[in-house]
Amino acid sequence: MSNITRRSFVAGTGATALVAALAGCSGGTTTEGSAAGSAAAAAGGHIVVLTASPDHGWTGQVGAFAQEKVDEINEAGAYTAELQTAGAASDQIAQVEDILAGDAPAGIVIQPLDDTVQSAIQQIADAEIPYVAFDRIIEAVQDSAVANVKGDNSGIGAGSAAYFVENGMNPGDAVYIYQGDTSSVTTLRDNGFTDYLLGNLEFDGATVPEDKKWTQEQIDAAIKKSGAMNWSRSDTKAAFESLLGDEANAQIKWWYAEDDELAMGILEALNGGGITDATKEVFYETKPYITGCGGLNEYYEVIRGNSYQDITENLGGVMSVTYSPSMIQTAIQDMVDHLDGKEVPQDHVIACENVTAENVDDYVGFE
């Protein structure tokens, strides 16, 4: 499949091997030999996959990968499967209610659109239908899931912090974080960044060097946050232009964007006319660094040096942390494995990696 990173992620049938590898070291839901699992495997059954509408970007690719996996299941014949998409949380809640009002499926895989879907997920659990949650994990109901499949959101923050430290960031340096939304995803990405700097979290097997370790007081004083950008490039562009209306903010060197779309918003602002040339000169004097995450090919092209060269030649560097939409296939495979009576890890975290100019050619982004 063209849009899966070559190094990081396992999708489709390969997810079974990943599940087996992780099961031995994670707290899991064991269904081996269970009556429910054996019955489902013997009789087959229907799996419903609920995701966001496949419109564009990361969410759009989640839908594309989900449909691909659904088609694979239907072709294999042991189970039937269908994909339902929704553009709003209210629509997704209605989908769940409709499903529960009919014949109970063998299992449900759900990417909650926001935290208001909690009540619908609780209804699934109360109906004793096994479900797998993907990407947005709602803490209040996570213990009832067969598996909670997600990228390493804490690792995304840690990876960005590690990249900054490797490139000279010192304790107390000013940092600006462009946040995604108000969900647990953003909280984990925020906390991963600061936990790495405090020395409480590893990235790529190592903690922050002792002489680069921050105190909580330094974090509180030096790190500023944007508030929810709603994963929007245009919102970030406007917010960045407004922020640099105060030239003092142009002296910030370290810019942690919690998504590639947000990083592109910064680049588009720098490429446009909403920031004065004088302020841009001040900004570029620091040789600033910008990070993102996700795997957007448009941003990978920036990292490769194939676009926005007039801007990147004035930057210290640009980087992204992997968070592939192909992970939805792992979530669906977890449900298949559960129904087959196999063991799956309940807390199923898929590791991330830093993508820089040095290794970007090892990865394929999504459109």
Side-chain angles (χ1 to χ4, degrees), residues 81-335:
E82 67 173 301
L83 172 65
Q84 296 184 24
T85 65
S90 58
D91 296 333
Q92 190 172 66
I93 292 167
Q95 287 175 335
V96 171
E97 291 173 346
D98 288 345
I99 292 167
L100 296 180
D103 293 335
I108 295 172
V109 179
I110 184 168
Q111 177 193 18
L113 293 193
D114 65 29
D115 289 354
T116 65
V117 181
Q118 176 183 324
S119 60
I121 293 176
Q122 186 62 57
Q123 291 178 58
I124 296 171
D126 291 344
E128 299 184 346
I129 298 171
Y131 76 92
V132 172
F134 171 66
D135 185 39
R136 182 189 295 272
I137 307 305
I138 301 175
E139 185 176 352
V141 290
Q142 64 182 0
D143 291 343
S144 61
V146 167
N148 296 291
V149 180
K150 56 187 180 295
D152 187 359
N153 284 300
S154 296
I156 286 167
S160 293
Y163 175 73
F164 287 164
V165 170
E166 289 166 7
N167 285 282
M169 187 174 75
N170 292 308
D173 281 358
V175 178
Y176 200 90
I177 300 177
Y178 274 102
Q179 299 174 295
D181 60 12
T182 58
S183 73
S184 62
V185 171
T186 291
T187 300
L188 288 167
R189 293 181 186 184
D190 285 352
N191 292 346
F193 187 87
T194 55
D195 283 346
Y196 178 84
L197 296 178
L198 290 166
N200 298 332
L201 184 64
E202 292 184 353
F203 181 76
D204 199 21
T207 55
V208 66
E210 194 64 32
D211 63 338
K212 297 290 187 177
K213 189 179 292 186
W214 290 45
T215 65
Q216 187 61 53
E217 289 74 19
Q218 288 170 325
I219 284 171
D220 293 341
I223 298 178
K224 297 179 181 178
K225 302 174 182 177
S226 65
M229 292 290 102
N230 301 308
W231 310 109
S232 166
R233 179 186 306 204
S234 60
D235 287 359
T236 306
K237 178 178 182 289
F240 185 78
E241 290 172 345
S242 177
L243 186 72
L244 263 63
D246 180 350
E247 195 171 288
N249 292 322
Q251 299 178 40
I252 298 172
K253 183 180 180 75
W254 311 104
W255 299 86
Y256 166 33
E258 294 184 338
D259 186 82
D260 289 345
E261 288 283 353
L262 310 188
M264 287 302 304
I266 296 173
L267 294 172
E268 288 190 358
L270 291 168
N271 197 45
I275 302 170
T276 67
D277 289 342
T279 300
K280 289 179 184 178
E281 286 182 15
V282 173
F283 181 77
Y284 291 138
E285 282 175 3
T286 70
K287 300 296 288 185
Y289 286 78
I290 300 171
T291 71
C293 81
L296 181 67
N297 192 57
E298 183 182 5
Y299 187 54
Y300 277 8
E301 282 293 279
V302 177
I303 298 173
R304 293 182 187 112
N306 294 334
S307 65
Y308 286 88
Q309 296 97 325
D310 290 347
I311 293 173
T312 56
E313 69 183 10
N314 294 302
L315 302 178
V318 289
M319 185 275 285
S320 182
V321 189
T322 54
Y323 196 85
S324 173
S326 68
M327 293 184 291
I328 184 62
Q329 296 195 344
T330 301
I332 299 169
Q333 185 64 43
D334 275 1
M335 177 53 69

Side-chain angles (χ1 to χ4, degrees), residues 6 25 136:
R6 297 190 182 101
C25 58
R136 182 189 295 272

